[in-house]
């Protein structure tokens, strides 16, 4: 099946910022429509999300240049190509851009095309997207779904400016089915609202649908999660575990970390000790971006200090093969957060996952804080056999779009396994 048309438009994401939506049609009539997300706590090693920077439109956040790059530059080169040749297509996209960080055409423009072609090819083959991705990745699908991690409290750049840590997670036990995990998370999420009200804390919502309370310390947020877990009649460290995405680059200044849990700014070694103490009080199942993206020393030390915690690189790795290779060599983490829009094509994302697997790292497939109702990322997570997903709180339309898609996939895979 050949690519017949590619057309992009400017739409809005969940924060009300413009983003790119692209439709791809193949010569047999197969059609896919697809949009890309956008981060707020951007890592400096991420591919460039092209913005118009025209202050007269959307405070400079418009994406008309990216849209026109798809329609005027990318589309004419791709028309007539076989939609099943994803690697060839992505290579051409990379060449057309020609920069190391996709700053010419924009990773938002490029990914929207790369992703929409994956979906259109799946439609053309009359198989679900996750199955088509499994064929690209070379994985075997089973009934086992990725474990969902849920972001119930939003701080940092997603919150109300009160907590420094960006995300406070609950992770249901691997023994639960996906459907059970979703229910557990939802019940704890609802209970958490009552817990916040009881403590007189603000219970408004942050960018990823979690609560954005005003608390005295970051550790207090973990305490409130424990209370909500108990209140919903689940057992902490048995049914449900705790995790953090600290997003430490966002509060690293003059080579120090300042958080409200400590009176004075911390050096790298102080922060290592802080996490060790925190882990004694609240055993951490996962710790993402515990240190700045250039503070390799902190990363290496924490990976050694907390051997039973998943040490996840997000800003550190930026879904970039060079960063991943360096981190493997330095033993700087043991898990990767995978975000296709950090690198800009699906083939490169898949390659990075393969590299991480070679190092025996855990793989977590993630949304962004600015999302649309697009559910491609759910299919992607299942297709590459991710160990975990990270799609925000179990609430708000753009988040539950992904969770509901996983429910449908779980059902399909279970029915197939029984055959
Ligand atoms: P972002 O946050 O999408 O705003 O970058 C998500 C994360 O840090 O994991
Ligand atoms: Zn992160």
């Amino acid at each position: 099946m050949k690519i017949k048309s590619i057309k992009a438009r400017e739409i809005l994401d969940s924060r009300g910022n413009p983003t790119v939506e692209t439709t791809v049609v193949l010569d047999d009539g197969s059609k896919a429509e697809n949009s890309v997300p956008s981060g707020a706590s951007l890592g400096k090693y991420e591919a460039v999300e092209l913005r118009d920077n025209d202050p007269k439109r959307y405070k400079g956040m418009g994406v008309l240049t990216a849209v026109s790059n798809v329609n005027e530059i990318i589309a004419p080169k791709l028309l007539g190509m076989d939609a099943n040749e994803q690697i060839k297509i992505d290579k051409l996209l990379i060449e057309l851009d020609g920069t190391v960080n996709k700053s010419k055409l924009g990773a938002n423009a490029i990914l929207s095309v790369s992703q929409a072609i994956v979906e259109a090819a799946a439609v053309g083959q009359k198989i679900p997207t996750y199955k088509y991705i499994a064929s690209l990745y070379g994985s075997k699908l089973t009934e086992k779904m990725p474990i969902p991690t849920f972001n119930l409290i939003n701080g940092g750049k997603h919150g109300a400016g009160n907590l420094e840590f960006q995300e406070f997670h609950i992770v249901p036990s691997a023994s639960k089915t996906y459907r059970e995990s979703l229910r557990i998370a939802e019940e704890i999420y609802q209970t958490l609202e009552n817990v916040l009200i009881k403590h007189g804390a603000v219970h408004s919502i942050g960018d990823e649908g979690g609560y954005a309370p005003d608390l005295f310390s970051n550790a207090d947020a973990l305490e409130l999660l424990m209370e909500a877990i108990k209140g919903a009649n689940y057992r902490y460290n048995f049914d449900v575990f705790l995790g953090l995405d600290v997003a430490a680059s966002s509060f690293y200044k003059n080579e120090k970390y300042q958080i409200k849990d400590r009176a004075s700014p911390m050096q790298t070694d102080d922060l290592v000790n802080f996490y060790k103490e925190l882990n004694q009080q609240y055993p951490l199942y996962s710790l993402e971006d515990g240190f700045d993206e250039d503070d390799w020393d902190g990363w290496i030390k924490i990976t050694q200090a907390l051997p039973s915690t998943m040490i996840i690189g997000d800003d550190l790795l930026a879904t970039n093969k060079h960063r991943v290779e360096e981190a493997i060599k330095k033993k700087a983490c043991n898990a990767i957060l995978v975000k296709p829009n950090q690198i800009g094509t699906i083939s490169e994302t898949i390659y990075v996952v393969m590299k991480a697997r070679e190092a025996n790292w855990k793989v977590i497939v993630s949304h962004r804080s600015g999302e649309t109702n697009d559910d491609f990322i759910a299919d992607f997570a299942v297709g590459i056999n991710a160990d975990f997903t990270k799609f925000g709180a179990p609430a708000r339309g753009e988040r539950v779009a992904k969770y509901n898609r996983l429910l449908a996939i779980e059902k399909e895979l279970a029915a197939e396994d029984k055959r």
Side-chain angles (χ1 to χ4, degrees):
M1 284 144 308
K2 298 205 167 12
I3 300 170
K4 192 173 147 201
S5 77
I6 300 176
K7 192 96 189 93
R9 290 167 300 284
E10 184 183 65
I11 61 163
L12 296 184
D13 72 13
S14 55
R15 269 192 285 255
N17 289 326
T19 190
V20 183
E21 181 175 68
T22 293
T23 306
V24 167
V25 183
L26 308 185
D27 60 358
D28 68 343
S30 302
K31 181 178 167 188
E33 195 168 78
N34 190 299
S35 53
V36 294
S38 168
S41 69
L42 293 173
K44 75 176 189 213
Y45 298 102
E46 291 191 28
V48 172
E49 183 181 82
L50 199 64
R51 297 282 176 189
D52 296 338
N53 296 321
D54 170 2
K56 293 197 284 303
R57 294 188 76 250
Y58 292 111
K59 294 190 168 165
M61 297 289 278
V63 292
L64 293 181
T65 322
V67 163
S68 120
N69 289 347
V70 173
N71 295 337
E72 311 299 329
I73 300 174
I74 295 175
K77 295 276 184 204
L78 264 54
L79 296 190
M81 283 181 81
D82 183 349
N84 295 292
E85 300 231 49
Q86 191 66 33
I87 293 181
K88 202 167 148 191
I89 290 165
D90 287 340
K91 260 201 181 127
L92 182 61
L93 289 169
I94 293 163
E95 275 168 30
L96 274 176
D97 176 82
T99 66
V100 284
N101 57 2
K102 303 196 174 62
S103 53
K104 186 168 162 226
L105 298 178
N108 42 357
I110 293 170
L111 182 67
S112 80
V113 173
S114 179
Q115 218 171 258
I117 290 174
V118 167
E119 283 203 328
V123 174
Q125 291 191 16
K126 299 189 174 48
I127 54 173
T129 302
Y130 65 87
K131 280 198 182 154
Y132 181 68
I133 290 167
S135 74
L136 293 178
Y137 179 68
S139 58
K140 195 178 161 325
L141 293 171
T142 66
E143 216 178 319
K144 198 181 161 305
M145 297 284 288
I147 299 169
T149 62
F150 298 91
N151 177 10
L152 299 197
I153 296 183
N154 297 181
K157 289 194 172 156
H158 304 159
N162 175 258
L163 301 170
E164 288 89 5
F165 290 4
Q166 182 177 280
E167 303 173 15
F168 299 82
H169 297 148
I170 55 165
V171 188
S173 155
S175 66
K176 313 286 178 192
T177 64
Y178 168 68
R179 176 174 287 272
E180 284 167 344
S181 300
L182 185 60
R183 179 171 58 80
I184 291 170
E186 187 54 47
E187 288 169 7
I188 295 171
Y189 177 76
Q190 302 290 351
T191 308
L192 181 59
E193 181 170 0
N194 300 333
V195 169
L196 291 168
I197 292 169
K198 192 181 105 193
H199 287 280
V202 173
H203 56 280
S204 61
I205 300 293
D207 284 7
E208 294 192 357
Y211 298 104
D214 47 342
L215 304 174
F216 291 111
S217 71
N218 292 282
D220 279 354
L222 292 174
E223 187 60 36
L224 292 178
L225 278 184
M226 301 269 278
E227 204 176 319
I229 292 167
K230 272 190 224 132
N233 292 319
Y234 291 105
R235 290 160 298 176
Y236 166 61
N237 261 350
F238 189 84
D239 302 308
V240 185
F241 302 83
L242 293 179
L244 286 174
D245 178 6
V246 173
S249 300
S250 64
F251 56 86
Y252 187 59
K253 297 210 169 70
N254 306 322
E255 304 198 345
K256 286 198 178 116
Y257 300 93
Q258 170 85 69
I259 59 171
K260 57 203 304 172
D261 302 56
R262 288 286 181 270
S264 46
M266 287 186 274
Q267 312 263 12
T268 295
D269 284 345
D270 304 326
L271 188 58
V272 172
N273 289 331
F274 175 82
Y275 290 136
K276 275 168 52 181
E277 281 168 32
L278 196 64
N279 185 55
Q280 270 164 12
Q281 206 178 350
Y282 307 100
L284 293 173
Y285 188 86
S286 62
L287 175 64
E288 179 181 330
D289 280 354
F291 293 85
D292 177 76
E293 57 216 328
D294 289 320
D295 188 1
W296 289 102
D297 188 35
W299 281 93
I300 294 164
K301 284 181 175 154
I302 201 67
T303 304
Q304 275 175 2
L306 304 182
S308 42
T309 300
M310 265 205 303
I311 305 295
I312 307 171
D314 170 18
D315 291 346
L316 176 79
L317 306 171
T319 317
N320 179 306
K321 67 176 177 192
H322 303 297
R323 300 285 299 174
V324 169
E325 276 160 11
E326 198 171 346
I328 291 172
K329 223 183 291 159
K330 292 189 156 118
K331 296 193 172 49
C333 56
N334 54 34
I336 179 172
L337 200 79
V338 176
K339 294 166 166 169
N341 85 326
Q342 283 181 325
I343 188 68
T345 66
I346 295 303
S347 301
E348 287 169 288
T349 311
I350 287 177
Y351 181 80
V352 163
V353 173
M354 288 171 172
K355 282 268 145 213
R357 287 287 184 209
E358 277 169 29
N360 280 324
W361 284 4
K362 295 288 182 202
V363 173
I364 302 103
V365 167
S366 173
H367 70 160
R368 299 306 302 250
S369 52
E371 271 290 340
T372 66
N373 289 352
D374 197 287
D375 57 11
F376 175 88
I377 199 71
D379 283 74
F380 185 80
V382 173
I384 60 126
N385 275 337
D387 301 290
F388 299 87
T389 60
K390 190 176 97 146
F391 297 161
R396 321 315 285 186
E398 75 282 2
R399 313 294 149 187
V400 296
K402 282 80 169 162
Y403 290 124
N404 289 340
R405 175 68 188 141
L406 288 178
L407 280 175
I409 297 175
E410 180 181 50
K411 223 171 185 172
E412 275 178 29
L413 287 174
E416 277 179 25
D417 263 20
K418 283 194 191 73
R419 260 190 258 143

